[in-house]
Amino acid sequence: MVFYIRFLKVPKIFPSNAAFTFIVATTVTLTSDLGDEFLAQDVELFAHLACNGVIHTPPHRPKWQAGMRALRFEFCVSNKDAAGPLRLCISSHSPSGPDQLSATRMPELVSARSGSFGVSTAREAPRKVERRLDINVSGCAELSIWEETGESIARHIWDASLGLVAHLRFLLLPQPAPATPSPLRHLLHTPRSTPLRVLELGAGCGIVGLALAQMRSDSHVMLTDLPEAMNILALNASTARLASGSQVEHLPLDWDAERPESVQDKRFELVLVSDCTYNADSLPALVRTLRAVVRDEEEGVLVLVAMKARHESEKVFFGLIAGAGFVQVEYCSVSLPDRLRGVQGRSLDIVEIYAFSRSGRNGQTGKPYG
């Protein structure tokens, strides 16, 4: 299970009792992707408040302890530095670089970075948090994704999305051809005269589609989700460092509503679905949407589904997608960190990744990582 540093209260500037100084304070928590579990281990945290190249640290390094639900940080800064722009980073490692992400090394604790703030602009940071991941593939060294800090989990990064990004990264790295044919690897690497057309359903904050567009050149990615996700998708699309020839667009798509013409009129070769199977009630609508965007006459289109199974009801998805005429053509799994495995006696969490097609050989499997 991956844990995430989250701002319960975003960084904010307060007056200080001391002359010519201000206090910057924030409150964080360390939880699972759904926010339903708190980290139950002691962890030393590093906090860096940056202003024009000057790094401030708290007078005493706070330590997250098992049983905690929240942890407060305070910094004392001069009037000059308080003018900003200020940015705060809290992580489990120092220096505060990006978190490592690969198929064999998933981050145990994902760092948090605030937006800019300061007395001369806004005394409170925007209600968003930035995640930075070191992916280092195809000229893309770092992936930056913004999340919302509110209670809605719809615009947060979930574990299966991290696992799918790590899997795509693995496939895009130079390596010998695998002994077992991989339809997905073939699709990603086959030379082509036209861009790879990709649709992501339930994109959330867009991490998977944006990662692909940054790691693979000539990828045209359409990110879709409900209207309330459009603002965070727009922000992440606008700040993405896309690979050569890649493009990204975003638009609302409700699986229960009629598809917009911009989706109906396009043909896609890869459909991404990550962390979308947790709600069994939405699965029939999801599969109907997949059936609509992958037409009978379109051979070779892959539907890539990443899931971290949370309850038995998610298995309904497999019957529904088989009934819609899809067959499984590829499978792999990515192991998540097991920081709490020995402490709480839990089994190892994995992200399972399935590739489906309207035509292909059923039952083809891949090996798990690690």
Side-chain angles (χ1 to χ4, degrees):
M1 176 182 295
V2 179
F3 285 85
Y4 302 78
I5 301 173
R6 304 192 186 280
F7 291 120
L8 289 177
K9 295 182 180 179
V10 295
K12 187 174 181 179
I13 299 175
F14 297 90
S16 169
N17 292 330
F20 309 112
T21 60
F22 285 89
I23 297 296
V24 174
T26 187
T27 302
V28 304
T29 188
L30 277 57
T31 72
S32 60
D33 54 357
L34 298 190
D36 55 352
E37 288 194 47
F38 296 92
L39 181 59
Q41 280 189 332
D42 296 354
V43 179
E44 283 196 350
L45 296 174
F46 296 86
H48 300 88
L49 182 66
C51 177
N52 298 320
V54 177
I55 301 297
H56 300 270
T57 58
H60 304 286
R61 183 185 302 165
K63 183 177 183 179
W64 178 270
Q65 296 179 316
M68 278 186 166
R69 296 294 183 266
L71 180 62
R72 181 179 171 88
F73 290 79
E74 287 190 0
F75 305 79
C76 183
V77 298
S78 67
N79 286 1
K80 178 182 177 182
D81 288 344
L86 295 164
R87 289 200 68 184
L88 175 62
C89 173
I90 301 177
S91 69
S92 60
H93 51 79
S94 183
S96 54
D99 300 311
Q100 300 293 315
L101 179 68
S102 71
T104 56
R105 187 179 179 183
M106 299 286 287
E108 291 186 337
L109 183 61
V110 180
S111 305
R113 287 173 170 80
S114 75
S116 297
F117 63 103
V119 170
S120 60
T121 53
R123 294 199 175 207
E124 184 176 270
R127 298 185 180 276
K128 294 180 176 61
V129 57
E130 182 192 19
R131 312 294 189 183
R132 292 184 186 175
L133 301 168
D134 183 0
I135 50 179
N136 195 23
V137 59
S138 302
C140 177
E142 189 173 291
L143 175 65
S144 168
I145 295 291
W146 290 90
E147 297 180 48
E148 295 182 0
T149 59
E151 294 183 359
S152 171
I153 58 176
R155 275 86 72 192
H156 289 174
I157 294 172
W158 290 18
D159 290 357
S161 296
L162 288 179
L164 183 50
V165 172
H167 179 54
L168 291 170
R169 175 188 180 275
F170 172 78
L171 292 176
L172 288 166
L173 288 171
Q175 55 186 301
T180 303
S182 165
L184 178 58
R185 187 177 188 280
H186 178 78
L187 178 66
L188 294 174
H189 285 277
T190 299
R192 52 195 305 125
S193 58
T194 58
L196 178 68
R197 297 161 298 178
V198 183
L199 171 68
E200 183 172 6
L201 300 177
C205 54
I207 180 173
V208 178
L210 288 168
L212 180 59
Q214 293 188 213
M215 294 189 295
R216 185 191 182 281
S217 59
D218 295 316
S219 298
H220 287 192
V221 179
M222 178 181 287
L223 306 170
T224 66
D225 207 317
L226 295 173
E228 51 265 35
M230 291 302 104
N231 287 341
I232 198 69
L233 283 176
L235 173 61
N236 284 323
S238 68
T239 57
R241 301 174 181 176
L242 302 180
S244 174
S246 289
Q247 298 178 9
V248 170
E249 59 181 314
H250 61 281
L251 76 162
L253 176 60
D254 185 337
W255 303 338
D256 285 312
E258 184 177 354
R259 287 174 295 127
E261 291 184 3
S262 52
V263 177
Q264 291 183 12
D265 296 341
K266 290 194 176 182
R267 301 291 185 268
F268 302 97
E269 295 149 294
L270 177 62
V271 181
L272 304 172
V273 182
S274 179
D275 287 306
C276 291
T277 60
Y278 66 96
N279 182 359
D281 292 338
S282 69
L283 293 178
L286 169 60
V287 173
R288 285 196 302 270
T289 301
L290 290 172
R291 181 70 175 79
V293 298
V294 183
R295 299 167 177 81
D296 291 333
E297 68 274 12
E298 295 176 333
E299 294 187 1
V301 180
L302 289 182
V303 175
L304 198 58
V305 178
M307 60 192 298
K308 174 184 158 182
R310 303 174 194 271
H311 41 73
E312 286 294 312
S313 62
E314 293 183 66
K315 292 181 180 179
V316 171
F317 171 77
F318 296 99
L320 292 172
I321 199 166
F326 289 87
V327 294
Q328 179 187 321
V329 296
E330 191 169 348
Y331 169 85
C332 77
S333 63
V334 177
S335 298
L336 295 175
D338 58 351
R339 174 186 285 270
L340 296 181
R341 189 179 184 186
V343 176
Q344 297 182 352
R346 67 175 70 207
S347 59
L348 183 65
D349 283 332
I350 62 171
V351 172
E352 296 181 285
I353 302 170
Y354 300 84
F356 298 94
S357 176
R358 295 299 298 277
S359 60
R361 293 181 292 112
N362 196 6
Q364 184 171 332
T365 59
K367 296 181 180 179
Y369 295 111

